Amino acid sequence: MKDKLRKIIHVDMDAFYASVEQRDNPEYRGKPLVVGSDHPRGVVAAASYEARKYGIRSAMPSMKAKKLCPHLIFADVRFHVYEAVSAQIHAIFHRYTDIIEPLSLDEAFLDVTENKVGYELAVDIALEIKAAIREELNLVASAGISYNKFLAKIASDYRKPDGICTIHPSQADQFIEQLPIESFWGVGPVTAKKMHKLGIHRGSDLKAWSIVGLVQHFGKMGRMYYDFAHGVDDRPVEEIRIRKSLGCETTLEKDITAQSSAIIELYHVATELVSRIGEDGFQGTTLTLKIKFKDFSQITRSITQENSFELLDDILPQAKKLLSEVDYEDNPIRLIGLSVSNPKLESADKPLYIQLKLDFKDEEY
């Protein structure tokens, strides 16, 4: 087993957006709350733990959420607030290490093998971070500690909310063998279904396969699954994650089939994209159109040019051209999105901000 001496912490804020809203609005506390729009075509961005008891989850249509919980409270999304709170959380992280890899506004990896406070045990750092987040920001975080990113991420989910879990190298094999295959990094619903057909349901089943067999069935991902099943993950905690794309999308109030209506909506999305590009300074040479239809199927169409897409006069004509390649006469459009990618100049100063029950005795690590 490799990298036993590394000390990695994964910190994950519990129900982050919803918790911020409950913190800032006392009338929401202890009640089922979602962040998002209650519009008939709205989507849940985040759900409080009180709401989750009703089966409500992020990305769920708002109408379905309201059916599950008729007295559900909706709070408007306030990204500028969440970004500001995230910056405060990262300031706490930096008291201990500068080797921080943000995964989103509400979670990050920290490499504390060598840390600013000289602590021997990573769990002591994790406990102090959790305490500081609670005392200074009045929010709750969960933390996972292990010798690699794969296990630290799993550990942070193990005792949520307000949990802390250490997976020591001596415990890793037993932990992984009992882990449901759906909990493995990179295993989505489609891959899990394929694995089930092959008799792979838990980590022990996956571990029994050879690397040749896994690569045969899952391509290059097979090697990663093999490594994870054996407790191996050599990926470093990356201090800088360069933004690879920037985009926006909108779910329409009504499904549309008229070309004139589609172009109007495309104009609004393109205008928002131009605004975000201006704020971020991102320079992408590939423009991608995303269309989701009434039946929830979706397609993308892309075009690449030598110069970056930055101005409306650059983006809108090409977006219209991509839209003209889409047949939506018999399958109305539900959502339109635009994004730019394939950076012309990658800047190293822009971090990307884009989520079993076993009785283990935590060993010091």
Side-chain angles (χ1 to χ4, degrees), residues 40-208:
R41 301 179 70 83
V43 176
V44 174
S48 69
Y49 280 96
E50 294 86 355
R52 295 181 190 185
K53 293 178 181 179
Y54 291 86
I56 297 170
R57 297 290 184 268
S58 60
M60 177 181 287
S62 297
M63 290 300 96
K64 181 177 180 180
K66 291 175 74 173
K67 289 181 179 179
L68 292 172
C69 180
H71 57 288
L72 187 64
I73 299 171
F74 284 81
D76 291 335
V77 178
R78 300 187 298 158
F79 278 119
H80 66 288
V81 175
Y82 312 143
E83 289 173 351
V85 175
S86 179
Q88 293 176 310
I89 294 167
H90 278 255
I92 293 173
F93 295 162
H94 278 284
R95 297 173 191 172
Y96 300 91
T97 180
D98 291 326
I99 307 178
I100 301 167
E101 181 179 340
L103 300 181
S104 63
L105 289 178
D106 60 345
E107 63 175 318
F109 286 109
L110 290 71
D111 189 329
V112 297
T113 309
E114 301 292 337
N115 55 81
K116 295 179 180 180
V117 291
Y119 285 4
E120 178 66 24
L121 301 180
V123 67
D124 290 340
I125 295 176
L127 286 168
E128 285 197 4
I129 287 174
K130 279 172 50 66
I133 290 173
R134 181 185 293 276
E135 294 168 7
E136 299 174 27
L137 304 179
N138 197 21
L139 293 170
V140 176
S142 291
I145 305 100
S146 196
Y147 62 91
N148 64 38
K149 292 165 71 173
F150 165 60
L151 290 170
K153 176 68 170 70
I154 291 174
S156 68
D157 291 332
Y158 181 55
R159 294 188 177 123
K160 290 175 72 73
D162 196 18
I164 188 164
C165 176
T166 299
I167 302 178
H168 192 273
S170 64
Q171 299 172 323
D173 285 342
Q174 182 185 359
F175 192 98
I176 293 169
E177 287 173 2
Q178 299 182 63
L179 195 67
I181 200 63
E182 291 83 359
S183 297
F184 276 70
W185 209 335
V187 178
V190 174
T191 300
K193 185 176 181 180
K194 184 176 180 179
M195 286 189 172
H196 289 166
K197 289 182 179 179
L198 295 171
I200 303 173
H201 298 278
R202 308 189 81 79
S204 56
D205 302 322
L206 184 62
K207 191 175 182 180

Side-chain angles (χ1 to χ4, degrees), residues 343-357:
K344 182 178 181 181
L345 295 173
E346 294 190 341
S347 171
D349 61 356
K350 292 185 179 296
L352 170 63
Y353 289 113
I354 354 187
Q355 256 159 93
L356 140 108
K357 286 293 181 183

Side-chain angles (χ1 to χ4, degrees), residues 9-66:
I9 301 174
H10 179 262
V11 179
D12 193 0
M13 301 300 298
D14 296 333
F16 182 50
Y17 296 175
S19 294
V20 171
E21 296 303 331
Q22 289 180 317
R23 179 195 71 176
D24 295 348
N25 300 277
E27 66 272 21
Y28 295 161
R29 295 173 191 170
K31 299 178 181 179
L33 168 81
V34 298
V35 175
S37 171
D38 63 353
H39 189 276
R41 301 179 70 83
V43 176
V44 174
S48 69
Y49 280 96
E50 294 86 355
R52 295 181 190 185
K53 293 178 181 179
Y54 291 86
I56 297 170
R57 297 290 184 268
S58 60
M60 177 181 287
S62 297
M63 290 300 96
K64 181 177 180 180
K66 291 175 74 173

